[in-house]
Amino acid sequence: MQKGKLKFINRFKAHLVVLLNLIILAATRWVTHLATLVAPLKSRCNVKHKIEAETAPTNTLDNDRPLSESTAAAYNIFALIECHCHFDPSTDLEASFKILLAKNLPALNYISVKLLSAGNLAVTIKHIPIIKLELYIERLNFCALTICKKHQKHLTAKNVKIGLCNYRASANQTLVYQQAKSALTLSQQSPLQHCHRLGISHSRVNIFSNNQIIKSIKKNKFVIYFQPLFELDSGRILQHEVLIRVRGGANELLLANAGINQLDNDQDAFLFDQAIIIKVKKLLLADTSAAIISISLHPKNWFNKAFWQWLITQVSDFKIEHKLQFEINAADFFKYQIRLQGVLKIITKLNYQIIIDGIKSSDHIIQLVNYPQVLGVKLAYDLVHLIEASTHQQSCVKNIVNACQLLNIAVFASDVETKQELQMLTILGVDAAQGFYFTQLLPDFTQTVFH
C-alpha cells in the first residue's frame, strides 16, 4: 500500500511538471503574439511623431540642434522671388521674410535675405540636409506666398513666381545666379508651375551644355541679350555685354562664361562663337549708334588660328565707330600670355580691346603694363557679392583698384545686385558696374536710367 501511494505521488509530480511546462509555453506564445500586435502601433506612433516634428513650424531657429547630415553632404539654395503686389513702403521686407523663414525652417544656421532694386527678393539658405531639400523648398514657397498675402489678401499662387538653384558649396557662384534667373524665367512663362528649380550637378551641366546647347545653336534657338556697363561717375553706358539665352526642350539656360566653358571640344566652341558674332554683326550693322559690344569668347577660340582668320573676314565691313571688345578669363590670360601674342597682334590691328574677367587679387596686375590692348579688368563675383559685409573682400578690391590706377586700367564690377554693394564699390574706387541692380537684360541697345 505504501508503494502504491509513492507511485501515485510520483505520477502526480510528473503530470504537474508537464502542466507547468504547457502553461509556460502558452504564456510565451501569448507574449510573443502580443508583441507583434504592439510593434506596428508603436512604429506608426513614432512615424507620426517624426512627421509632426518635421512639419510643425517652430518659433525660433534651433541653432543648437546638430544637422542630421554633415555640411559636406548638404545642399545650398539660392532663390529669386518675384511677387506681383504692392507692399507698404514702411515694411521691412528683408527682416519680415527672414523671420518667417526662421519659423518654418528649423535647424539652419544660415539664412540670408536681400531685397533687389526691381523689388524681387534674393534668398540664400545654406547647409540643408539632402533628405529635407524638397521639404524646405515647399516651405520657402509657402513663406513667399504668406508674406505677400499679408499685404494683399486676395493674392493667389500665380502672382508669386520663384526661381531656385540648388548647389553644393563648391559650385561656381556666377552659374548659381544664372541658373536661378533661368528658373525664374521658366516660372514667369508658365501659367501653372510657379516655382521652378534648376540644380547644378556635373552630369546635368555637361548633358545640357554639350548636347542641347549646340543643338539649339544649330537650330537658331537662342536669343541675344545685352547687359549695359555703367560708368559710376557719369552714369553713361560704356559698353553692352552679350549674354545668350538658350532653349532646349523644357529647359532654358542663361549663358555667360560659366556656361559656355562647358563646351569641351574645338568644333563646338568654334560653332558657338561663330553664331554669336554673326548675330551681333547683323545688329551692329543695322544700328546707327556707336555701340561698343563686349563678347566673352570660349577659351578654346583664343588659341584657334582658324577662328581668328574667320573673324578677320567677318569684321572687314564694320564701320569705324562699331567696335568689339573681347573678354578672357584671368586664369587663362596670365597662364598663356606667350601663346596669346599672335592673337593680341590681330586685336591691335583690328583696333579692338580686351577685358580680363574674373580678377580675384592684385597679384598679377603689374604684368598688364606690357599689354596696351587691355582696357579693363572685371572683378570676380566672389569679390562683389555681399562686399559691404566683408573687410577681406574690400581689401582685395582696394588693392586691385590701386594697382590698376597706376597702369591707367579701368576696374569693372559685374553681377551687382544691391544698393549696398554698389555704394561700397563706389567708395573703393571701382570705375563702372553692371548687374540686375541697374536693369534687366535688354533685347537691344535701349538707353536705361542709371540708379
Side-chain angles (χ1 to χ4, degrees), residues 285-296:
L285 291 176
D287 187 77
T288 57
S289 65
I292 299 177
I293 305 300
S294 179
I295 302 175
S296 295

Side-chain angles (χ1 to χ4, degrees), residues 166-219:
N166 62 272
Y167 61 99
R168 302 282 190 174
S170 59
N172 182 286
Q173 294 301 302
T174 302
L175 182 56
V176 169
Y177 184 81
Q178 292 166 358
Q179 288 287 80
K181 283 294 297 180
S182 295
L184 179 60
T185 300
L186 292 175
S187 298
Q188 292 166 337
Q189 294 174 348
S190 174
L192 299 176
Q193 189 174 348
H194 312 301
C195 179
H196 274 79
R197 174 166 65 93
L198 296 176
I200 293 182
S201 65
H202 180 73
S203 59
R204 197 210 71 80
V205 171
N206 280 343
I207 290 174
F208 193 97
S209 297
N210 296 338
N211 297 325
Q212 293 183 351
I213 289 179
I214 293 303
K215 187 181 295 185
S216 298
I217 292 295
K218 289 181 178 179
K219 293 181 178 180

Side-chain angles (χ1 to χ4, degrees), residues 55-194:
T55 57
T58 58
N59 292 328
T60 59
L61 267 176
D62 189 3
N63 291 336
D64 296 327
R65 174 184 167 191
L67 294 175
S68 57
E69 281 82 18
S70 66
T71 55
Y75 274 110
N76 302 329
I77 286 178
F78 178 72
L80 293 172
I81 302 172
E82 178 183 83
C83 183
H84 296 286
C85 70
H86 299 288
F87 293 103
D88 187 336
S90 63
T91 301
D92 189 339
L93 277 181
E94 291 182 1
S96 300
F97 196 68
K98 190 169 183 178
I99 291 172
L100 188 61
L101 284 174
K103 290 181 178 180
N104 287 272
L105 302 178
L108 294 179
N109 292 317
Y110 187 94
I111 298 176
S112 171
V113 180
K114 286 282 185 181
L115 180 62
L116 306 184
S117 61
N120 297 343
L121 286 169
V123 180
T124 302
I125 306 173
K126 293 186 176 181
H127 311 318
I128 300 174
I130 295 174
I131 60 173
K132 295 184 179 181
L133 182 62
E134 293 297 334
L135 173 64
Y136 280 15
I137 290 176
E138 290 178 6
R139 291 187 180 183
L140 176 63
N141 198 353
F142 166 79
C143 290
L145 186 58
T146 299
I147 201 76
C148 292
K149 278 191 171 183
K150 284 185 177 180
H151 297 269
Q152 196 167 326
K153 293 182 179 180
H154 301 294
L155 201 72
T156 61
K158 68 180 181 180
N159 301 118
V160 180
K161 300 291 187 176
I162 302 178
L164 298 123
C165 176
N166 62 272
Y167 61 99
R168 302 282 190 174
S170 59
N172 182 286
Q173 294 301 302
T174 302
L175 182 56
V176 169
Y177 184 81
Q178 292 166 358
Q179 288 287 80
K181 283 294 297 180
S182 295
L184 179 60
T185 300
L186 292 175
S187 298
Q188 292 166 337
Q189 294 174 348
S190 174
L192 299 176
Q193 189 174 348
H194 312 301

